[in-house]
């Protein structure tokens, strides 16, 4: 159980639910649906982004808000009368670094409101249950916190072996009935179960083709991260804490960010035992580990006498590659750098952006390019990763000069003039944006 949860902005009724859930881990909640009232729907509306992509209804926050109170009152009445129907989600595809695509679902605006209100209610209960090993999509926690947890364990000598795990198509593979049964352990409220079911059992509109998947929860929806955390809380976190760790001969640790997780071990025999049973545990919950992306990696700190090179193994976690390196004081410390495929994708995207927007005013190009680079730096700008940041910055300068130089046959922008321009329109500096270790 974690103390990362915050009650800021929560209604008094939900705060009472959260307090009871924290006080009594075995308590069941049989009557929660009445808490999804008009004020709860209002809070859910306020949390929606004004410029978010629209679903099949084409509705925006601004349009829905023109007659907000009437719309929310009507929505509430349909929820109470069990007349609410979730509209199909719109399928969009996002390119992945391996050349494939990640399929996301965009819900209709009113469905986003319902999902956000349901998310708030589920969060009040389950934030009291979730373990400290879980970092994804939770208040007050981030991917950087997960990476810090790993580096603390490595510095303490608790990580000699790492299971790098990948659940194949996790969001599309979750068995819906099993998920609803797990929720019923804590929240037997039939109205909440029906509402969760409505958010799960929806059609998917892909272009003009409507399909009805039998499993999974739409990745990209407001509710999916919460449902994913609930499912893996039972499938993985509880199992590791209650069944695995007590049987280990050495120290062991699970670090999970949504469906991306690693298992760290002090002893090789412990790691191999868990590596053998982990696929069986996942299969029990209808999940499958990716055979090529799940592996056991030796990660023992190199001996102090080893003067050069890196440690015995590396692994990828949260878009970083983790490895042993020499510190400035000559000690072996765990380090991380931007995953090669992720860095290549960022460089390619910068060149493509500069080409696509080369005819904009220089000031507009500068603002757009800075947003892209700054967003990358704010995540990957951790201490020890300056070389990868510098590489992206180098290519950003080259890409911008290249496409400014080519946008017209007249007034070529050679490097001397470009360097003068950069003094007036500098790109974001390569520096530490996030401290992972001291």
């Amino acid at each position: 159980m974690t103390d990362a949860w915050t009650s800021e902005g929560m209604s008094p009724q939900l705060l009472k639910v959260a307090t009871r859930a924290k006080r009594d881990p075995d308590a069941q909640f049989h009557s929660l649906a009445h808490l999804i009232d008009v004020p709860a729907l209002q809070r859910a509306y306020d949390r929606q982004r004004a410029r978010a992509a629209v679903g099949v209804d084409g509705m925006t926050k601004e349009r829905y808000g023109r007659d907000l109170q009437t719309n929310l009152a009507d929505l509430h009445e349909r929820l109470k009368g069990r007349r609410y129907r979730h509209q199909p989600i719109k399928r969009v595809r996002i390119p992945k670094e391996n050349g494939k695509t990640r399929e996301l679902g965009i819900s209709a605006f009113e469905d986003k409101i319902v999902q956000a209100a349901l998310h708030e209610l589920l969060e009040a209960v389950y934030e009291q249950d979730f373990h400290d090993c879980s970092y994804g999509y939770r208040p007050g926690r981030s991917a950087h916190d997960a990476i810090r947890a790993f580096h603390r364990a490595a510095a303490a000598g608790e990580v000699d072996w790492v299971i790098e795990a990948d659940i194949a198509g996790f969001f599309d593979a979750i068995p819906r009935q099993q998920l609803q049964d797990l929720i019923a352990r804590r929240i037997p409220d039939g109205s909440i179960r029906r509402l969760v079911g409505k958010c799960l059992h929806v059609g998917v509109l892909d272009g003009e083709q409507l399909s009805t998947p039998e499993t999974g929860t739409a990745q990209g929806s407001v509710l999916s991260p919460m449902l994913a955390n609930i499912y893996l809380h039972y499938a993985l976190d509880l199992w590791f804490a209650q069944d695995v760790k007590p049987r280990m001969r050495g120290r062991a640790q699970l670090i999970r960010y949504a469906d991306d997780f690693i298992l760290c071990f002090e002893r090789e025999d412990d790691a191999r035992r868990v590596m053998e049973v982990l696929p069986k545990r996942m299969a029990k919950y209808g999940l499958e580990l990716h055979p090529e992306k799940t592996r056991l990696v030796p990660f023992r700190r190199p001996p102090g006498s080893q003067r050069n090179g890196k440690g015995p193994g590396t692994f990828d976690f949260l878009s970083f590659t983790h490895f042993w390196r020499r510190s400035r004081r000559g000690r072996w410390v765990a380090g991380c750098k931007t995953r090669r495929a992720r860095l290549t994708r960022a460089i390619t995207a910068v060149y493509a952006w500069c080409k696509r927007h080369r005819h904009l005013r220089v000031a507009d190009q500068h603002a757009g390019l800075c947003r892209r680079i700054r967003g990358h730096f704010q995540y990957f700008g951790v201490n020890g990763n300056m070389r990868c940041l510098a590489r992206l910055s180098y290519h950003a300068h080259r890409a911008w000069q290249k496409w400014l130089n080519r946008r017209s046959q007249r007034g070529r922008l050679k490097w001397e003039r470009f360097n003068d321009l950069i003094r007036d329109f500098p790109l974001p500096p390569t520096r530490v944006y996030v401290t992972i270790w001291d």
Side-chain angles (χ1 to χ4, degrees):
M1 191 165 60
T2 179
D3 293 326
W5 175 81
T6 175
S7 61
E8 183 178 353
M10 179 168 287
S11 70
Q13 295 91 339
L14 274 181
L15 188 56
K16 290 179 181 178
V17 170
T19 301
R20 183 188 172 204
K22 186 172 184 178
R23 183 178 64 247
D24 186 356
D26 297 322
Q28 291 186 319
F29 296 87
H30 294 268
S31 179
L32 291 179
H34 67 282
L35 298 180
I36 302 182
D37 52 14
V38 173
L41 296 174
Q42 172 78 62
R43 293 193 299 272
Y45 169 84
D46 292 339
R47 288 195 293 271
Q48 302 306 309
R49 292 186 295 113
R51 296 185 179 182
V54 298
V56 296
D57 60 344
M59 181 65 69
T60 64
K61 181 176 182 178
E62 190 272 333
R63 280 180 55 200
Y64 194 87
R66 291 174 188 171
D67 196 6
L68 181 60
Q69 295 309 313
T70 300
N71 288 335
L72 293 181
D74 176 67
L75 175 58
H76 181 239
E77 285 300 316
R78 281 183 281 129
L79 287 168
K80 283 178 59 180
R82 299 182 183 179
R83 293 180 288 107
Y84 164 74
R85 296 292 182 269
H86 197 295
Q87 298 185 62
I89 62 172
K90 183 167 70 175
R91 172 66 48 81
V92 296
R93 291 177 172 82
I94 306 298
K96 296 173 65 174
E97 55 197 37
N98 58 6
K100 299 181 181 180
T101 58
R102 174 179 287 107
E103 295 184 345
L104 300 181
I106 302 176
S107 301
F109 186 78
E110 199 169 66
D111 298 329
K112 293 178 183 178
I113 294 177
V114 173
Q115 290 180 30
L118 184 55
H119 182 285
E120 180 186 56
L121 189 150
L122 293 175
E123 184 178 76
V125 175
Y126 283 102
E127 268 301 314
Q128 322 315 316
D129 295 351
F130 290 156
H131 289 200
D132 284 340
C133 65
S134 170
Y135 292 89
Y137 307 107
R138 296 181 57 193
R141 292 179 157 235
S142 69
H144 293 127
D145 292 323
I147 296 170
R148 289 188 189 100
F150 167 75
H151 280 271
R152 285 195 299 268
E158 301 174 6
V159 184
D160 285 349
W161 294 85
V162 174
I163 295 178
E164 177 189 357
D166 183 273
I167 302 175
F170 170 70
F171 283 91
D172 292 332
I174 297 177
R176 294 171 178 172
Q177 187 59 53
Q178 199 164 355
L179 169 60
Q180 289 181 271
D181 291 343
L182 292 174
I183 292 174
R185 293 185 185 181
R186 194 72 150 123
I187 307 177
D189 186 334
S191 296
I192 295 299
R193 289 196 65 183
R194 279 189 293 271
L195 190 54
V196 170
K198 289 181 184 296
C199 295
L200 286 173
H201 299 279
V202 295
V204 176
L205 189 64
D206 192 348
E208 297 182 354
Q209 184 175 358
L210 181 66
S211 61
T212 53
E214 296 297 323
T215 61
T217 174
Q219 189 173 1
S221 74
V222 177
L223 193 58
S224 286
M226 172 58 67
L227 297 179
N229 273 335
I230 293 173
Y231 199 72
L232 286 177
H233 169 72
Y234 289 105
L236 183 63
D237 301 356
L238 277 176
W239 170 71
F240 191 81
Q242 296 177 358
D243 297 337
V244 174
K245 289 185 73 172
R247 291 178 169 85
M248 299 291 97
R249 299 175 64 188
R251 289 173 289 187
Q253 184 172 350
L254 163 67
I255 303 173
R256 181 174 68 82
Y257 189 92
D259 62 320
D260 196 356
F261 67 94
I262 56 174
L263 301 167
C264 307
F265 301 90
E266 188 178 16
R267 293 176 59 94
E268 180 181 0
D269 55 345
D270 288 341
R272 294 196 179 278
R273 286 168 59 199
V274 175
M275 185 68 175
E276 183 178 351
V277 300
L278 185 60
K280 301 174 185 177
R281 177 66 182 183
M282 293 293 100
K284 182 178 178 181
Y285 285 81
L287 305 174
E288 181 182 1
L289 293 174
H290 196 296
E292 297 177 2
K293 297 180 181 179
T294 301
R295 61 195 183 106
L296 178 60
V297 181
F299 202 76
R300 185 177 297 106
R301 186 194 303 267
S305 58
Q306 182 177 326
R307 302 303 304 172
N308 300 310
K310 297 179 181 178
T314 67
F315 67 92
D316 295 328
F317 182 51
L318 298 176
S319 295
F320 286 94
T321 296
H322 301 266
F323 59 97
W324 287 104
R325 65 177 182 85
R326 284 282 189 182
S327 70
R328 292 182 178 179
R329 298 180 179 179
R331 296 183 293 113
W332 285 105
V333 295
C336 60
K337 62 182 180 181
T338 310
R339 185 182 176 195
R340 178 179 298 178
R342 184 64 183 82
L343 179 58
T344 300
R345 187 177 73 180
I347 292 171
T348 302
V350 164
Y351 274 95
W353 192 93
C354 290
K355 178 181 179 180
R356 209 164 47 243
H357 297 87
R358 64 188 182 275
H359 295 299
L360 295 179
R361 296 188 308 119
V362 169
D364 294 334
Q365 289 187 51
H366 175 256
L369 191 55
C370 283
R371 281 195 300 271
R372 298 186 70 88
I373 296 173
R374 192 176 295 112
H376 183 94
F377 283 4
Q378 286 172 349
Y379 182 76
F380 290 101
V382 304
N383 43 337
N385 194 34
M386 291 304 99
R387 184 175 297 179
C388 290
L389 299 193
R391 185 178 173 193
L392 177 62
S393 181
Y394 167 80
H395 282 283
H397 283 83
R398 290 186 63 86
W400 200 18
Q401 187 275 336
K402 172 182 177 179
W403 291 109
L404 283 176
N405 187 44
R406 292 189 180 186
R407 70 175 180 171
S408 172
Q409 295 297 322
R410 298 176 298 170
R412 292 283 189 175
L413 189 69
K414 299 301 182 183
W415 276 103
E416 183 176 352
R417 288 182 57 202
F418 178 74
N419 289 332
D420 291 337
L421 180 145
I422 282 293
R423 280 191 282 271
D424 295 327
F425 297 96
L427 297 183
T430 56
R431 61 176 178 82
V432 175
Y433 289 74
V434 181
T435 301
I436 296 296
W437 64 88
D438 296 328

